[in-house]
Amino acid sequence: MSDPATPPRSLAEALRARDDASLAVLLRSRPDLITPVPTDLTQLATRAGTRASVVRALERLDRCALQTAEALAVAADPATYDELLALMAGDEGDPAVVAALPHALGTLREQALVWGADDRLRLVRTARELLAPSPQHPSPTGLGPTVQEASAGMSPGRIQEIVTTAGLPSTHDAVSAVSSLSALFGDRRRMTALLADAPEESREVLSRLVWGPPYGQVTADPAPRLRWLLDRGLLLPTAPGTVVLPREVALHLRAGRAHRTTEPLPPPVEAAATHRPQVVDSTAAGQAYTALTTVEELLKDWHEGGPAVLRAGGLSVRDLKRTAVALDVSEPLAAFWVELAYTAGLLASDGEADERYAATPAYDEWLEQPVAQRWAVLAQAWLTATRTAGVVGGRDAKDRTLSALGPGLDRSAAPEVRHRVLTLLAGLPEGTSPSAESVLARLRWERPLRGPQREDDLRGRLARWTLSEAELLGVTGRGALSAHGRALLGAPQPEPAADAGEQPAGPGDKLPVHH
């Protein structure tokens, strides 16, 4: 193990300084690092810095941890904790950010995305490359390059002209001139004085670029408002006809903040309505019985041989319509019940030459089980299934229609999203149904890189399907998590009220769940 008094010089050295418990946490949070098992910590560090692994790790970060990584990507390398805090909390020092930053930074360290002590924080190189600004890949912060980066191709004479016009003494070389200009732009007092003399039209140009994108277009003969900014280096040319707002200038105009809106705390899941727990459980139990009846009705109809299996697999559009009519439900709902029976092992292809769908032997065993156990089979199958009925009717990557019981319906994120949505419901007061939008907002905060900025917001759609399917199954009642829904999830049961008892629920008693 490395000497703890000696600062690590690499991620590998930082990993060698970890104890077994810390390494175990890393491997649990980034399971791809142990497939295959690395031979030593040097190989583990190399693997932890690969692009594919870093992308996966970034996608698992919550909004606050991700914003912390984004801030480090535009900070000096290495950065101090105080420099990072200034980028996250701004000049005013947002107290919520001050309180949340240690945990966010701890998460990045835990996952080996950041290493080094508080006076030498380093974001792993691959993460910096992914998150740092470039003309081809703008930073999520909206910041542009530094003065040093933006002026790299400028002539020494032009740099000296800018330094002089900005009110700085000329220097002997371009390197010191750039350093002098950077120091000016990073000095709040001197920058305030410089911008106080700027024409109003010039300040308007800066205000349009300050939150990004930081690039703008200019002609060969710039207007006076642009010329004033170009002459002082407040805009720097990056290519013919293109200028950029240097990072230091933008940070001054932003009062030091890397992000327009920093989100240190998860948005709360808001209540849409509150019901008596007995009403929730009664409603949910009624839905549970309806679910059992629907699946039984479907499988009785298909018991001796149901619709034919398509050559490519799955159910034809015509047969799905017939099933929907037989069950007296819409086609999307028919697809849900068919997929649920299939996932629960109650329905499959009969394997004959003329392949047809039929009930399985497990269906006969299922019919003999107690009501609660039959419901538990369906609910557990739904909760853990990767097959996703909601995508039925959509198109696959080859523009083929996705059919019920067919290939292409698996979505690996589905079990995680279902479990997380139900866990959020379990955290609400008993009998409380959530606002769907607040649930989606919470999920977006927890996994922002898998959110709506992607072309296909799958997690959002999975969450909406979870809320509606949970109600269909009786996991929830009137949108609130039921007692048997809590048992399914393994969530703590609320203390029973003094007069609580088994309440009648439609065709039978309240549905318990047996494990």
Side-chain angles (χ1 to χ4, degrees):
M1 187 172 287
S2 303
D3 181 357
T6 304
R9 293 170 298 176
S10 65
L11 176 59
E13 284 193 7
L15 292 181
R16 290 190 195 102
R18 292 191 178 199
D19 58 23
D20 290 348
S22 176
L23 287 172
V25 170
L26 166 62
L27 297 178
R28 280 196 298 269
S29 63
R30 295 178 66 178
D32 61 288
L33 297 181
I34 54 173
T35 307
V37 176
T39 56
D40 55 30
L41 290 176
T42 299
Q43 189 178 75
L44 178 65
T46 300
R47 194 175 294 170
T50 60
R51 184 182 179 90
S53 183
V54 169
V55 167
R56 279 193 289 267
L58 292 174
E59 285 188 339
R60 285 191 288 266
L61 295 179
D62 64 39
R63 177 78 69 185
C64 185
L66 180 62
Q67 288 189 322
T68 301
E70 291 166 351
L72 277 171
V74 296
D77 185 28
T80 67
Y81 184 87
D82 288 342
E83 289 168 346
L84 173 61
L85 179 61
L87 286 168
M88 289 291 290
D91 293 347
E92 297 179 358
D94 183 338
V97 174
V98 172
L101 185 58
H103 177 74
L105 182 59
T107 297
L108 297 177
R109 277 193 171 121
E110 179 183 279
Q111 299 194 22
L113 293 169
V114 168
W115 57 277
D118 279 359
D119 61 342
R120 293 184 66 79
L121 295 171
R122 290 188 183 275
L123 187 66
V124 294
R125 184 178 62 189
T126 309
R128 177 175 284 274
E129 291 170 354
L130 288 166
L131 298 175
S134 72
Q136 294 75 30
H137 304 285
S139 166
T141 62
L143 291 167
T146 62
V147 171
Q148 182 178 354
E149 293 164 346
S151 62
M154 294 178 65
S155 68
R158 177 58 183 148
I159 294 174
Q160 292 293 346
E161 289 176 4
I162 289 173
V163 165
T164 302
T165 307
L168 299 171
S170 60
T171 67
H172 297 293
D173 58 81
V175 173
S176 58
V178 169
S179 297
S180 178
L181 195 61
S182 299
L184 168 64
F185 291 167
D187 187 314
R188 293 282 188 272
R189 182 183 58 80
R190 289 194 291 161
M191 272 296 282
T192 300
L194 177 63
L195 291 174
D197 294 332
E200 181 63 32
E201 295 85 353
S202 299
R203 288 199 292 270
E204 288 177 4
V205 171
L206 295 179
S207 69
R208 291 198 296 270
L209 299 177
V210 64
W211 293 109
Y215 294 91
Q217 303 299 312
V218 295
T219 62
D221 182 22
R225 66 181 184 279
L226 296 174
R227 175 57 60 193
W228 194 94
L229 297 170
L230 288 163
D231 286 346
R232 290 156 182 79
L234 296 167
L235 292 179
L236 290 172
T238 59
T242 303
V243 294
V244 69
L245 179 68
R247 187 181 307 168
E248 296 89 340
V249 177
L251 286 172
H252 171 79
L253 296 170
R254 296 175 175 203
R257 287 182 292 147
H259 298 88
R260 188 168 200 162
T261 304
T262 308
E263 299 179 60
L265 299 174
V269 178
E270 299 171 353
T274 302
H275 311 280
R276 288 190 302 113
Q278 293 90 340
V279 171
V280 169
D281 290 344
S282 178
T283 303
Q287 285 295 118
Y289 280 105
T290 299
L292 293 175
T293 302
T294 303
V295 172
E296 287 177 35
E297 186 178 342
L298 168 70
L299 293 174
K300 282 177 183 175
D301 189 37
W302 290 14
H303 192 48
E304 297 300 329
V309 179
L310 291 174
R311 183 175 301 175
L315 201 61
S316 71
V317 173
R318 179 180 298 175
D319 284 329
L320 181 61
K321 286 180 178 178
R322 286 174 178 166
T323 302
V325 171
L327 297 178
D328 194 22
V329 296
S330 66
E331 288 172 41
L333 280 184
F336 170 71
W337 294 119
V338 166
E339 281 290 331
L340 179 64
Y342 176 78
T343 301
L346 308 178
L347 172 67
S349 162
D350 61 11
E352 299 293 334
D354 179 21
E355 254 190 314
R356 308 189 80 79
Y357 288 107
T360 65
Y363 168 62
D364 296 319
E365 298 173 11
W366 180 73
L367 282 177
E368 295 174 0
Q369 293 175 344
V371 169
Q373 191 61 40
R374 278 193 284 151
W375 181 83
V377 168
L378 296 181
Q380 286 282 5
W382 167 77
L383 185 61
T384 58
T386 56
R387 289 185 65 83
T388 307
V391 300
V392 170
R395 316 290 289 188
D396 66 10
K398 296 182 178 179
D399 201 35
R400 296 173 300 197
T401 301
L402 294 168
S403 54
L405 301 178
L409 301 190
D410 288 282
R411 299 294 181 270
S412 60
E416 178 213 338
V417 173
R418 290 191 198 106
H419 196 277
R420 185 58 188 147
V421 169
L422 296 188
T423 301
L424 291 174
L425 268 61
L428 293 172
E430 193 182 3
T432 302
S433 61
S435 150
E437 290 306 318
S438 71
V439 171
L440 295 177
R442 178 61 166 265
L443 292 179
R444 285 194 293 268
W445 186 92
E446 292 179 349
R447 295 289 186 272
L449 285 184
R450 295 185 177 185
Q453 64 266 47
R454 295 175 63 137
E455 290 182 11
D456 177 12
D457 180 14
L458 178 62
R459 285 175 65 83
R461 291 193 293 151
L462 286 170
R464 289 189 184 277
W465 293 331
T466 296
L467 291 171
S468 60
E469 290 168 4
E471 192 76 8
L472 287 171
L473 273 171
V475 175
T476 59
R478 301 201 180 186
L481 193 64
S482 65
H484 45 281
R486 287 179 185 275
L488 171 71
L489 186 64
Q493 292 287 343
E495 290 296 323
D499 60 348
E502 296 285 322
Q503 299 292 324
D509 291 334
K510 188 170 77 174
L511 198 75
V513 175
H514 302 289
H515 293 285

